[in-house]
Amino acid sequence: MAKTDTKGETARSLRTPKKTSPASRPARRPASAKTETPYHHGALREALLQAAERVLERDGLGGLTLRAVAREAGVSHAAPTHHFGDLTGLVSELAAIGFRQFNAAMASACDAATSPLERALARPKAYVAYAQTHPGMYGLMFRTERLDYSRPSLQEAAESSFAGLANAIGAMRQEPISGDALTIEQGAAIARAWSMVHGFTMLLLDGRLEDILERLPDGTTAEQLLEAILKSTVAGRLSAS
């Protein structure tokens, strides 16, 4: 009977790695999974909208695509389509968020005012300040051709914004204003106030006020220029009341 070469067997076992069964091997993650961020189903929609806002403010409306948003959120390219249908759906929901932020900023500024003059100035100043802080979002909110106003969220947020403006003008005129039915005088007052503040905002964002500011005393800011415009507009009404 042959003797067993235990030393040789031991040496061979050390040199030859043991084969493992497929079941015992750790599963390899797909390469694409490394770049994707897991979200709870209910949180993915919000994450996509947050990603869309970042892309919008960083790259402008031209850079806002479904693929760019998916890449920013770290999810599959199909995710935005699943939640919003198409790019119009996505930007419409994003604009609704913008209007809600916009409305909240103006309401907060009005609540903090402590005098009639401060209240008269608070809303338009907050309007311009929001646009300066969120120029991409502000621009999107007024790009009507890119938005679907049949979406309830956008329609409700935009209507709320108009109602806030109408109420502010009604307070200035010391009369209630219904957003559903306006007199020509009420409509003219709303259009005048909106045109003035929106026009100032667009000139400011486009850098078109620099020529005026450079001619003013050193240190004069755009906010001070706006305040001077507003005071010249509302001072007479406040003193008459």
Side-chain angles (χ1 to χ4, degrees):
M1 187 165 127
K3 292 177 66 175
T4 304
D5 184 1
T6 55
K7 289 184 179 181
E9 290 293 333
T10 302
R12 281 194 295 273
S13 67
L14 291 174
R15 289 196 301 268
T16 307
K18 292 182 179 180
K19 293 184 179 181
T20 56
S21 65
S24 65
R25 293 173 187 157
R28 292 185 178 180
R29 297 175 62 191
S32 60
K34 294 180 181 178
T35 61
E36 295 187 8
T37 303
Y39 291 101
H40 183 274
H41 180 73
L44 178 54
R45 186 177 188 278
E46 180 64 24
L48 288 167
L49 288 169
Q50 290 174 358
E53 184 172 359
R54 291 194 299 271
V55 172
L56 176 64
E57 296 296 349
R58 184 184 66 230
D59 303 329
L61 187 55
L64 185 60
T65 65
L66 294 179
R67 291 179 72 88
V69 170
R71 187 164 54 248
E72 180 73 18
V75 297
S76 72
H77 292 153
T81 302
H82 174 73
H83 284 275
F84 304 104
D86 56 14
L87 185 58
T88 297
L90 173 64
V91 297
S92 298
E93 293 301 324
L94 187 59
I97 291 175
F99 272 112
R100 288 195 289 270
Q101 294 173 346
F102 186 56
N103 298 341
M106 289 187 286
S108 177
C110 291
D111 290 344
T114 58
S115 71
L117 179 59
E118 282 188 8
R119 278 191 292 275
L121 302 183
R123 184 178 180 87
K125 288 172 72 173
Y127 184 115
V128 175
Y130 178 84
Q132 285 183 285
T133 306
H134 308 278
M137 184 73 92
Y138 180 81
L140 173 63
M141 288 156 51
F142 295 99
R143 291 293 299 271
T144 306
E145 77 281 4
R146 297 292 301 271
L147 305 176
D148 177 8
Y149 274 89
S150 69
R151 297 180 81 95
S153 56
L154 177 57
Q155 190 175 51
E156 180 181 350
E159 282 293 328
S160 179
S161 184
F162 182 82
L165 173 60
N167 290 338
I169 298 302
M172 288 289 297
R173 292 169 59 87
Q174 297 185 317
E175 63 181 6
I177 292 183
S178 168
D180 296 328
L182 303 172
T183 66
I184 186 65
E185 292 81 9
Q186 291 171 341
I190 292 171
R192 181 170 56 248
W194 192 4
S195 297
M196 180 182 68
V197 179
H198 183 70
F200 181 92
T201 301
M202 295 307 297
L203 289 172
L204 179 61
L205 293 180
D206 289 343
R208 302 301 298 273
L209 292 178
E210 292 302 321
D211 187 54
I212 294 175
L213 291 170
E214 288 173 359
R215 300 166 191 261
L216 297 176
D218 289 345
T220 303
T221 65
E223 183 178 8
Q224 290 171 321
L225 179 60
L226 173 65
E227 187 167 320
I229 294 170
L230 295 172
K231 284 182 176 179
S232 68
T233 303
V234 305
R237 288 188 175 278
L238 290 175
S239 61
S241 61

